Amino acid sequence: MPWKIQKLSGLFQPLKVIPKNANLKPDNLLSNSQKLMVENGIVRLSGNGMFQILPLGVRALDKLTKIVDKLMAQVNAQKILLPTMTDAQLWIKSGRWHTAGAELYKLKDRHNKDYLLSPTHEEAIAGLIASISPVSHHKLPIRLYQISSKFRDEKKSRFGMLRGREFLMKDLYTFDQSLSAAENTYAEVCQTYDKIFDVIGVPYVKVAADNGIMGGSLSHEYHFLANIGEDLLMFCDTCNYGANKETFKEETCPSCKGRKMTERNGIEVGHTFVLGSRYSEPLEATFKGIDGKTTPLQMGSYGLGMTRILAAAIETLSPYDEIRWPISLAPYTVCIITPKEGSKEESASQLAYKLYSELNCINSLCGDIIVDDRGSMTIGKRVLEARKSGYPFVIVIGRKSVFADPLFEIINVSKSEQLDLNLKEVLEYFREVSSEGSGTKQKEALSS
Ligand SMILES: [Zn+2]
């Protein structure tokens, strides 16, 4: 067999039982996603607002990273990695050293020089471009992104990975020669963000937003709707126009002048900005135009909360007691449960591994299947655990596996569907699921 079989018995997944009735006071800091992720060994809390991301969490994160990398390539964005520490001088030049306030982690080195643990990298990237400025207009646009840890000294970190003090962000920065070119870039990147969220497959909304401390002229936010979301969003009942309530100062819809609005709570998972020359001017990130004149570049900044997307997806999709991942991010798509030791069907155990290798030949499932080989546990207990952990599909090698034409029990958790299928039918079922699981919209997005 060309694959190393991935077995649950060897998985580092420390389960944790949170006592019933714990932390259920109305002022609790615990979100359902945090409770589920900690209970099921996806992450652990290492301190206030700090998380250890465990193997299942990293697998989900890797899947999200793959989606993002693929779609960033479609807009010719290139991946880089900037240092976590940024020289205070850059932030002093932009003015944010003083205005960003208490949320900044400031530190000094042994020479008494000031740095910060970056919450975002507008200054750092503008500093990079300034170091090669003026850039020739032939080299524009420049589009660079990274996926890295960001830091924010939250007054009140809460709701687990939805608001941590250290978190993973994908941040893209763009540089154009005119504001209209920056706005074209903005439209192109926003379209790609739509595609990223289509592929993730969690329902989302895009709303007009405030530029806030970032500065600039144009801004949108992407949200997953959830009751614990900390942003209030307004939607027009007539034309569906949406905006963050912070920006919504009029009584009527700016798009259709309708008067009826609905308020919803959202978890912000992405934010896009046209920044103009807000950072390029003070930091002297410039280009040389056809006319030989040196001018500040027009910047855009585009964030995606990577760890927050994982938590927010679980928050949005899961019932109280079981994780539901979108199929696109599930750490493993399929969990195969072997027969109980000492049972009549134990003789059918090798069918689990035959099924494992056959399913691995389906492209979209390759490397995405785990075998729950803990035969000392009852099947019922393992099915329960598999559902809790959030595997979208569970296959049980149960009683009917000893038939002349063995039958496998397929559980499609999100559809509450249960089927008995023989090997050929199982393979057909998953070939179909994998083509609809990565939905038409998703496939178009990834192939275009
Ligand atoms: Zn309207």
Side-chain angles (χ1 to χ4, degrees):
M1 194 173 299
W3 310 281
K4 168 115 176 73
I5 296 172
Q6 315 211 45
K7 295 177 180 176
L8 248 167
S9 58
L11 181 69
F12 184 73
Q13 185 193 13
L15 302 179
K16 185 177 175 188
V17 180
I18 295 180
K20 276 186 186 149
N21 304 326
N23 285 316
L24 292 178
K25 284 170 264 154
D27 64 337
N28 76 76
L29 305 177
L30 188 74
S31 57
N32 197 36
S33 53
Q34 181 187 1
K35 171 186 155 292
L36 288 170
M37 290 173 98
V38 171
E39 273 180 7
N40 291 292
I42 312 286
V43 301
R44 284 178 82 85
L45 196 65
S46 66
N48 180 20
M50 287 150 61
F51 290 87
Q52 298 150 332
I53 305 177
L54 305 182
L56 289 176
V58 169
R59 282 186 65 92
L61 196 58
D62 286 347
K63 286 189 173 183
L64 180 57
T65 301
K66 242 187 208 166
I67 293 169
V68 170
D69 285 344
K70 202 158 182 178
L71 283 156
M72 282 294 102
Q74 285 187 13
V75 287
N76 299 318
Q78 297 169 57
K79 203 170 188 179
I80 56 168
L81 198 49
L82 298 169
T84 294
M85 290 203 300
T86 301
D87 190 326
Q89 285 310 313
L90 295 174
W91 280 63
I92 290 168
K93 276 188 194 167
S94 75
R96 287 206 291 184
W97 181 255
H98 299 291
T99 55
E103 287 193 351
L104 288 184
Y105 279 108
K106 297 179 175 176
L107 59 147
K108 281 185 192 294
D109 70 7
R110 64 175 72 197
H111 308 295
N112 216 26
K113 197 166 151 40
D114 288 312
Y115 294 88
L116 55 85
L117 293 182
S118 307
T120 176
H121 282 89
E122 283 76 15
E123 284 85 350
I125 193 102
L128 166 65
I129 300 300
S131 73
I132 53 163
S133 286
V135 179
S136 158
H137 64 92
H138 293 296
K139 300 274 185 198
L140 300 174
I142 295 172
R143 296 172 178 178
L144 301 171
Y145 78 102
Q146 61 173 348
I147 295 176
S148 67
S149 288
K150 306 286 187 285
F151 298 83
R152 196 158 48 204
D153 192 356
E154 294 283 355
K155 193 168 180 190
K156 201 174 179 185
S157 54
R158 57 179 185 165
F159 298 147
M161 286 208 316
L162 292 176
R163 187 169 283 285
R165 296 195 295 168
E166 176 174 352
F167 47 95
L168 276 171
M169 284 270 291
K170 189 248 37 172
D171 40 339
L172 162 70
Y173 304 96
T174 61
F175 297 86
D176 281 281
Q177 47 184 309
S178 66
L179 191 56
S180 69
E183 283 168 358
N184 288 341
T185 292
Y186 186 81
E188 199 184 325
V189 173
C190 284
Q191 224 173 37
T192 303
Y193 266 40
D194 294 349
K195 285 186 190 174
I196 289 173
F197 285 108
D198 285 343
V199 174
I200 291 170
V202 177
Y204 68 94
V205 293
K206 180 183 173 186
V207 299
D210 194 19
N211 280 63
I213 66 157
M214 300 288 276
S217 56
L218 190 57
S219 173
H220 288 88
E221 291 169 356
Y222 290 78
H223 287 264
F224 292 166
L225 295 175
N227 288 336
I228 70 156
E230 297 186 274
D231 285 276
L232 277 181
L233 313 176
M234 303 288 283
F235 295 95
C236 171
D237 285 9
T238 315
C239 74
N240 232 5
Y241 170 87
N244 194 309
K245 201 176 176 186
E246 289 171 2
T247 68
F248 217 90
K249 278 133 201 160
E250 301 141 82
E251 301 241 320
T252 56
C253 165
S255 169
C256 76
K257 303 293 168 214
R259 288 185 162 270
K260 227 169 159 261
M261 304 282 163
T262 305
E263 212 173 89
R264 299 287 305 271
N265 287 77
I267 302 170
E268 185 191 321
V269 283
H271 205 151
T272 56
F273 301 90
V274 172
L275 298 170
S277 57
R278 164 71 183 85
Y279 299 91
S280 51
E281 201 167 326
L283 292 159
E284 296 172 66
T286 60
F287 76 101
K288 192 176 248 177
I290 301 179
D291 54 6
K293 237 175 81 186
T294 296
T295 317
L297 285 153
Q298 296 290 320
M299 273 178 77
S301 160
Y302 306 84
L304 278 181
M306 300 292 282
T307 35
R308 188 185 276 187
I309 286 173
L310 299 189
I314 290 177
E315 191 70 39
T316 307
L317 301 179
S318 306
Y320 178 71
D321 49 355
E322 293 178 352
I323 291 183
R324 293 277 189 284
W325 291 101
I327 289 186
S328 64
L329 303 183
Y332 291 95
T333 303
V334 180
C335 175
I336 300 174
I337 296 179
T338 60
K340 168 101 170 70
E341 280 163 15
S343 66
K344 223 169 52 185
E345 53 271 20
E346 194 182 359
S347 57
S349 283
Q350 82 289 352
L351 281 176
Y353 298 101
K354 182 168 170 53
L355 190 60
Y356 181 87
S357 54
E358 297 267 353
L359 284 173
N360 255 301
C361 294
I362 298 176
N363 230 344
S364 63
L365 289 182
C366 187
D368 209 19
I369 305 160
I370 191 157
V371 178
D372 189 345
D373 57 330
R374 299 170 302 172
S376 61
M377 285 168 70
T378 65
I379 285 186
K381 185 145 196 261
R382 281 181 286 162
V383 168
L384 213 69
E385 227 177 71
R387 292 182 58 103
K388 265 181 72 86
S389 295
Y391 304 113
F393 298 94
V394 181
I395 304 177
V396 177
I397 318 290
R399 271 186 221 129
K400 295 176 185 166
S401 62
V402 294
F403 289 4
D405 182 18
L407 292 181
F408 304 95
E409 189 184 321
I410 314 293
I411 305 168
N412 179 335
V413 177
S414 63
K415 285 192 179 164
S416 307
E417 182 179 72
Q418 205 159 319
L419 300 162
D420 289 319
L421 304 176
N422 68 22
L423 181 61
K424 191 164 159 263
E425 291 164 334
V426 172
L427 297 177
E428 268 164 32
Y429 179 85
F430 280 101
R431 268 187 212 109
E432 242 168 72
V433 161
S434 67
S435 63
E436 82 183 49
S438 58
T440 333
K441 239 179 167 180
Q442 282 105 316
K443 270 190 296 178
E444 274 171 17
L446 287 171
S447 65
S448 66

